[in-house]
Amino acid sequence: MTTYPEAQQAPTTTALSLQQQFLAMFAQGYEAGPFGPHYVEVGGWRLHGRVNVLALRLALADVVERHEALRTVLHLENGGGTQSVVPAGQPELLLVELDEAPGPDRERRAEELMIEAETRPFPIHEVPLLRAVLGRFDDEDAVLVLATHHSAADVWSLQVIMQDLAQCYAARAAGDEPRLPEATQYRDYIVAQQEDASGPSVAAAQAYWRETLRGARVLVAPTRRNDESPATSYHRFTTDAELSAEVSRLARATRSSPFMVLLAAFAVYVNRRTGQTDLVVPTFAPGRRHGFRSTVGSFFNFVPLRVDVSGCGTFREVVARTRTACVGAFSHELPLMQVLAVAPELMNSVGPDTAPTLFQAVQPPYSMQAEKVGDLEYSAIWRRVVPQPMGSETPDGMIWSMHLSNTEVVGGLSFSRHLFDRAEVDEQVAGFLGVVGEMVAAPDAAIGA
């Protein structure tokens, strides 16, 4: 692997976190993979009110100064790596004048602006690792898109960045200096992670995973390499309000969550498709200890959920087993590197002709929905329905993502387009949604085949 030029290194360095070491398992230098220029995380917000561009530029600089992860350079070496914090710089702010389209067209154009920001290459050495695009429909209606390299910030971090940006912007627009409490930095988390590595809580969690994953292999999908250039495509879909309501009703009735109900349906779908009964479906968890909820960095953990559907006669039984698996896994959450230390054969199912299949379901953003901060009102854009031929890179795999609102389920299936046929992806989505509808409509009926 290449390394970042020595002359640009900061005087002090720190080790990679276990999460970053997990990303390094899929590293392809700085040209592709999780340290390449297409591993980008974006978030979008509708802004209502007149935007002061100068104040926004100053606020963006404030956020980069505040969060070291946005000005950290990774140095990849054989068998490991380090990272160092560099002085803050001014993030890029691109201004785009948008057509004064009617309401529904504005929603689509806002989403397209997010796609444009996501597909633009973002080399990991181009610090600061934060960019912004301000698209203006008129003087009172705008779209703000934030893009960051995903190795520096996860989805949760984008919410933190936006909350801080709104506060800094309100102060700057009023002619004041921002006054935010001191931020805890990502390198503090790395230190805490290293200190805990040999502690009793990690040992107890590893004991759980050693027993739970005995003989387990992570869920994979067969691949069919084609002539497409390596990239990640995004298939997106929606359902009606009734399905969303039925998922929520069953979740309440079974003392579970919409995620658990959807994952249980996914387990039934995979069982019918492949005949497998012992399923280890990876998902992502926030990975944040209490003291780091407002820290920017790469915290997410790859969590294997083992659900055995053998002997289940009804969907309600599958939900119960899924709930048990989720409660156990999330209460013993560890970075994958610590899980693999006690379950080293988990990833043996991944090979040249197979790729891991992940499943995640999240609620709409818990904050900034028509939230007024200073003179601007912010609303997060979570409903994404425009398909993408290319988006943020998913290293050789497939990820199902489900967002559940009060009115619909909005889903996405990201897949390596050079490994999976688009027609097959369409068929899988239709098949899964069919199973969800069937299962939640009659949870006590015989599952069948």
Side-chain angles (χ1 to χ4, degrees):
M1 292 181 183
T2 56
T3 58
Y4 195 78
E6 188 72 25
Q8 298 190 39
Q9 289 191 20
T12 59
T13 62
T14 187
L16 301 183
S17 68
L18 291 173
Q19 286 84 349
Q20 291 168 322
Q21 292 177 39
F22 162 67
L23 294 179
M25 292 173 58
F26 306 94
Q28 301 174 46
Y30 294 119
E31 304 305 319
F35 300 115
H38 297 293
Y39 194 53
V40 181
E41 188 66 46
V42 300
W45 290 262
R46 291 293 290 273
L47 308 184
H48 294 286
R50 189 177 293 270
V51 179
N52 181 326
V53 174
L54 176 58
L56 182 57
R57 291 188 191 278
L58 293 172
L60 286 165
D62 291 331
V63 170
V64 169
E65 176 65 38
R66 175 172 171 76
H67 294 291
E68 292 179 352
L70 300 176
R71 48 192 175 89
T72 294
V73 173
L74 291 178
H75 319 284
L76 303 179
E77 294 96 22
N78 292 330
T82 57
Q83 55 193 322
S84 49
V85 180
V86 301
Q90 176 65 51
E92 176 187 277
L93 173 60
L94 178 64
L95 303 179
V96 178
E97 298 302 325
L98 304 173
D99 294 336
E100 295 188 18
D105 291 338
R106 289 190 178 191
E107 292 180 5
R108 183 178 182 89
R109 185 67 186 97
E111 189 177 343
E112 289 172 346
L113 200 65
M114 296 175 66
I115 293 173
E116 292 165 11
E118 183 179 339
T119 54
R120 182 183 168 197
F122 201 150
I124 197 171
H125 58 268
E126 289 189 2
V127 289
L129 295 172
L130 179 67
R131 293 172 174 169
V133 180
L134 180 67
R136 294 180 287 198
F137 291 110
D138 56 46
D139 289 342
E140 297 290 327
D141 187 4
V143 182
L144 179 63
V145 179
L146 300 180
T148 181
H149 200 281
H150 201 1
S151 66
D154 50 24
V155 176
W156 186 308
S157 294
L158 273 181
Q159 301 295 320
V160 173
I161 292 169
M162 189 64 233
Q163 290 173 337
D164 288 354
L165 180 64
Q167 295 292 334
C168 291
Y169 172 83
R172 293 296 187 181
D176 297 328
E177 291 281 333
R179 296 179 177 85
L180 298 179
E182 184 177 354
T184 305
Q185 302 299 336
Y186 192 61
R187 57 191 170 101
D188 299 324
Y189 169 72
I190 296 173
V191 171
Q193 191 177 69
Q194 293 171 337
E195 292 174 346
D196 290 347
S198 57
S201 61
V202 171
Q206 285 185 311
Y208 166 84
W209 288 114
R210 181 183 293 108
E211 182 60 31
T212 299
L213 296 178
R214 194 180 304 278
R217 300 292 184 274
V218 75
L219 178 66
V220 295
T223 60
R224 299 177 181 86
R225 193 170 296 272
N226 53 49
D227 295 332
E228 292 267 18
S229 58
T232 298
S233 294
Y234 286 71
H235 175 108
R236 292 196 166 98
F237 53 90
T238 61
T239 70
D240 57 29
E242 181 57 30
L243 181 60
S244 176
E246 288 180 343
V247 169
S248 295
R249 281 195 293 268
L250 184 57
R252 290 191 297 270
T254 55
R255 296 187 302 113
S256 56
S257 68
F259 169 80
M260 295 174 187
V261 172
L262 291 170
L263 177 61
F266 185 71
V268 173
Y269 166 72
V270 173
N271 170 251
R272 288 182 175 181
R273 185 179 177 87
T274 68
Q276 298 178 71
T277 56
D278 184 7
L279 305 171
V280 182
V281 184
T283 193
F284 292 114
R288 290 173 181 262
R289 297 161 43 153
H290 177 71
F292 298 96
R293 294 177 64 86
S294 297
T295 302
V296 172
S298 180
F299 286 89
F300 66 89
N301 285 326
F302 180 95
V303 179
L305 303 174
R306 191 173 192 176
V307 180
D308 188 350
V309 301
S310 61
C312 288
T314 68
F315 184 59
R316 194 180 297 272
E317 293 177 45
V318 180
V319 173
R321 291 195 186 181
T322 303
R323 181 182 184 276
T324 298
C326 289
V327 170
F330 292 133
S331 61
H332 295 90
E333 181 187 343
L334 287 177
L336 183 65
M337 303 303 290
Q338 291 176 323
V339 174
L340 292 179
V342 295
E345 298 179 349
L346 178 66
M347 304 299 292
N348 283 1
S349 51
V350 180
D353 300 318
T354 60
T357 301
L358 291 83
F359 187 93
Q360 60 178 350
V362 297
Q363 295 293 94
Y366 57 86
S367 63
M368 306 205 85
Q369 291 296 308
E371 182 176 336
K372 193 76 175 290
V373 183
D375 293 332
L376 292 182
E377 181 184 276
Y378 299 81
S379 292
I381 301 172
W382 64 269
R383 187 182 189 275
R384 301 191 63 181
V385 297
V386 178
Q388 292 177 239
M390 188 173 79
S392 180
E393 190 163 353
T394 298
D396 289 353
M398 179 181 287
I399 300 178
W400 294 76
S401 300
M402 309 290 288
H403 296 251
L404 188 70
S405 77
N406 294 327
T407 58
E408 62 184 344
V409 173
V410 179
L413 179 55
S414 61
F415 60 97
S416 301
R417 67 183 189 185
H418 58 294
L419 299 179
F420 297 99
D421 180 74
R422 293 172 189 270
E424 181 182 359
V425 168
D426 294 347
E427 183 272 329
Q428 287 196 43
V429 169
F432 169 65
L433 292 179
V435 170
V436 175
E438 175 191 347
M439 294 297 106
V440 299
D444 294 306
I447 293 178

